[in-house]
């Protein structure tokens, strides 16, 4: 009887540890998938992708809940308005393919934490194209980074 209880407790403990490892991994993959979605949108003329960034966690606002963010840094000779017009034709939701001029290394649309780009954006026509996405239940609900 004691051996059976120990086995059940060991299985429960191992399951909890596995979830603590598995949930962040799955949620990070969900955030990386957002980058692939953005990259699937055709680039406008005279524009190139410089780098990409993704993050999963509690990124903006108050309260509990996971958020999923993906972005690509582009360099373009087009204006912000021209780029926004291009990406707006692919915009499925208000949070999809948002275009913002990028003047600094930090990604300032993320409020919680400091996340920086590798590229020096101080002397060019750089723009961030970003999307807020969704994760997979129950992994997004069980990730401690969202609480």
């Amino acid at each position: 009887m004691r051996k059976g209880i120990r086995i059940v407790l060991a299985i429960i403990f191992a399951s909890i540890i596995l979830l603590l490892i598995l949930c962040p991994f799955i949620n990070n993959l969900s955030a990386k998938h957002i980058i692939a979605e953005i990259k699937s949108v055709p680039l406008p003329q005279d524009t190139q992708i410089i780098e990409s960034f993704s993050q999963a966690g509690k990124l903006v606002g108050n309260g509990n809940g996971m958020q999923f963010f993906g972005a690509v840094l582009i360099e373009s000779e087009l204006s912000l308005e021209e780029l926004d017009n291009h990406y707006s034709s692919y915009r499925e939701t208000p949070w999809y393919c948002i275009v913002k001029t990028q003047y600094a290394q930090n990604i300032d649309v993320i409020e919680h934490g400091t996340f920086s780009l590798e590229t020096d954006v101080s002397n060019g026509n750089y723009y961030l194209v970003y999307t807020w996405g969704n994760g997979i239940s129950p992994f997004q609900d069980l990730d401690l980074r969202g609480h």
Side-chain angles (χ1 to χ4, degrees):
M1 181 74 154
R2 284 186 167 172
K3 187 175 183 179
I5 292 173
R6 287 183 186 165
I7 290 173
V8 169
L9 289 175
I11 290 172
I12 291 171
F13 181 74
S15 298
I16 291 170
I17 296 300
L18 183 62
L19 273 177
L20 290 175
I21 294 168
L22 189 60
C23 288
F25 178 75
I26 297 293
N27 287 332
N28 287 345
L29 286 177
S30 294
K32 286 182 195 266
H33 178 70
I34 295 170
I35 294 172
E37 287 180 27
I38 297 170
K39 286 182 175 180
S40 72
V41 174
L43 283 171
Q45 190 175 347
D46 299 323
T47 302
Q48 63 181 351
I49 294 175
I50 305 299
E51 71 177 272
S52 59
F53 174 84
S54 67
Q55 188 66 34
K58 183 64 186 163
L59 305 175
V60 296
N62 297 321
N64 292 330
M66 287 291 293
Q67 295 158 334
F68 300 87
F69 178 84
V72 293
L73 178 69
I74 59 173
E75 184 176 22
S76 181
E77 296 300 319
L78 302 176
S79 70
L80 176 60
E81 183 178 327
E82 291 170 318
L83 289 168
D84 190 54
N85 285 337
H86 171 78
Y87 281 102
S88 68
S89 64
Y90 298 96
R91 200 167 287 147
E92 301 165 358
T93 70
W95 304 109
Y96 190 79
C97 284
I98 301 166
V99 184
K100 175 185 174 300
T101 305
Q102 189 68 28
Y103 297 108
Q105 298 303 114
N106 288 344
I107 299 174
D108 62 359
V109 295
I110 298 177
E111 296 173 359
H112 302 296
T114 303
F115 300 98
S116 298
L117 298 164
E118 295 176 10
T119 306
D120 178 14
V121 297
S122 62
N123 57 358
N125 296 323
Y126 293 99
Y127 302 89
L128 200 64
V129 180
Y130 64 94
T131 295
W132 294 97
N134 297 311
I136 302 168
S137 272
F139 302 107
Q140 67 182 15
D141 302 323
L142 298 173
D143 194 328
L144 295 177
R145 297 177 296 172
H147 302 282

